[in-house]
Amino acid sequence: MDHLYQHFRREEKHFIDQVLQWKESVITQYSPKLTDFLDPREQEIVFSVIGDHSEVKVSFQGGVLDTERKRALLYPDYFQPENEDFKLTLFEVKYASKFITLQHRQVLGALMSLGIKRSKFGDIRFSNETVQFVCAREISDYLITNFLEVGRAKVTLKEKELNEFSPQAEVYQEIVTTVSSLRLDVIGSAVYNISRQKIQPLITNGLVKVNWKTVESVSFECREGDTLSVRGYGRSKVTAIEGKTKKDRFRIVFHVWK
């Protein structure tokens, strides 16, 4: 088992064990296993752990092709998955859009305030005045009854077909720079153009996430492919670490989403 763990970070061991339990359940019960919504890093781990296993396969679905958060379906090799097996519901939020502007954090906060785990719903998308989100079907009736306000705005939900999910418009800036180390505070300082003295308390106060998980250690070592988010500063991704310069500094390429 150690040979499997060595490919991942130490803090990911618990999730890896969960994936192995899911796989074992499929093998022993000869039936599919549907997970809650997983972030992209968790999806990557699931795919790596399941791999090309001859007895168990895995597929992901989050509404449409370009969704970020998706449910995973692990299933026996003879099973043919359909979209219906992922049990997804798409809602459009109806509100007085001529007078009110809703923000992502407001919608997310309103959903969380209902006592729903983040893993029960997927992407939240905005397109002009249209607000949509996808959720696990098992909570859809509860949401229709209880999701009535976002901030001070009165809202209602209208169910839509999954193929009506608004496309995601992603605009990012690519930046190439060099850093003295791959520590989180060093990388964060370079990415967001703020001093290490300023980003260090953000990290220790739990305002920084790496791969959608809060990291409170300034010395946490970043890797290629890591997604960073700093509250109030946005999200970025370390897309490449291109070795060292003659001055022994790491040359990195990262994307910063606008």
Side-chain angles (χ1 to χ4, degrees):
M1 191 65 67
D2 289 341
H3 72 282
L4 176 62
Y5 295 134
Q6 70 183 4
H7 298 293
F8 303 94
R9 288 193 168 106
R10 188 180 352 175
E11 60 270 18
E12 294 173 330
K13 180 179 182 298
H14 176 73
F15 183 70
I16 294 168
D17 290 340
Q18 179 68 75
V19 177
L20 292 172
Q21 290 177 16
W22 292 338
K23 184 172 80 169
E24 185 62 25
S25 172
V26 173
I27 293 173
T28 57
Q29 298 183 26
Y30 303 102
S31 62
K33 168 63 181 178
L34 179 63
T35 74
D36 285 341
F37 286 91
L38 307 177
D39 63 46
R41 177 56 182 168
E42 290 171 331
Q43 295 169 41
E44 182 180 349
I45 292 173
V46 171
F47 188 79
S48 297
V49 172
I50 300 302
D52 294 324
H53 193 276
S54 59
E55 295 181 90
V56 179
K57 307 295 182 182
V58 62
S59 296
F60 302 94
Q61 178 61 268
V64 291
L65 186 62
D66 64 342
T67 47
E68 183 174 87
R69 302 179 64 87
K70 299 178 181 180
R71 299 186 89 168
L73 184 70
L74 286 71
Y75 51 92
D77 58 352
Y78 61 81
F79 185 83
Q80 296 296 321
E82 305 287 344
N83 286 339
E84 181 67 19
D85 296 315
F86 291 89
K87 302 185 186 329
L88 303 174
T89 298
L90 174 64
F91 282 124
E92 185 167 301
V93 182
K94 311 301 289 186
Y95 65 104
S97 56
K98 290 185 178 180
F99 309 102
I100 298 170
T101 300
L102 297 183
Q103 297 180 339
H104 186 282
R105 60 180 178 81
Q106 292 176 310
V107 177
L108 177 60
L111 288 166
M112 299 289 283
S113 71
L114 295 177
I116 302 171
K117 296 189 297 182
R118 182 64 181 94
S119 59
K120 286 298 181 182
F121 50 93
D123 287 12
I124 302 171
R125 291 188 174 181
F126 291 73
S127 178
N128 297 321
E129 297 175 348
T130 300
V131 181
Q132 298 176 321
F133 66 87
V134 65
C135 71
R137 186 179 302 161
E138 57 265 28
I139 67 167
S140 58
D141 289 343
Y142 177 81
L143 287 177
I144 291 172
T145 303
N146 295 279
F147 189 67
L148 305 175
E149 289 185 335
V150 176
R152 296 182 179 180
K154 301 296 183 181
V155 302
T156 57
L157 294 178
K158 181 179 181 180
E159 186 171 344
K160 309 285 285 186
E161 296 294 328
L162 290 176
N163 61 12
E164 296 180 86
F165 207 4
S166 300
Q168 183 67 35
E170 287 199 324
V171 180
Y172 62 83
Q173 179 183 10
E174 182 174 279
I175 299 175
V176 181
T177 189
T178 62
V179 292
S180 59
S181 80
L182 299 178
R183 285 169 49 117
L184 180 56
D185 60 342
V186 175
I187 292 289
S189 174
V191 170
Y192 296 102
N193 195 28
I194 57 179
S195 68
R196 289 175 66 183
Q197 290 72 26
K198 188 170 184 177
I199 198 169
Q200 285 174 348
L202 296 177
I203 297 170
T204 56
N205 288 324
L207 303 180
V208 177
K209 292 183 178 181
V210 179
N211 297 328
W212 295 270
K213 302 295 185 294
T214 300
V215 175
E216 298 180 353
S217 170
V218 297
S219 60
F220 178 92
E221 186 170 299
C222 296
R223 297 180 181 178
E224 185 173 285
D226 281 351
T227 296
L228 282 62
S229 61
V230 180
R231 190 177 302 175
Y233 290 88
R235 189 168 64 171
S236 62
K237 183 175 183 177
V238 181
T239 57
I241 300 175
E242 300 180 334
K244 288 189 174 184
T245 67
K246 293 180 179 179
K247 295 184 178 180
D248 203 36
R249 291 173 63 86
F250 291 94
R251 186 175 187 272
I252 63 170
V253 181
F254 55 88
H255 291 169
V256 180
W257 277 268
K258 300 179 179 180

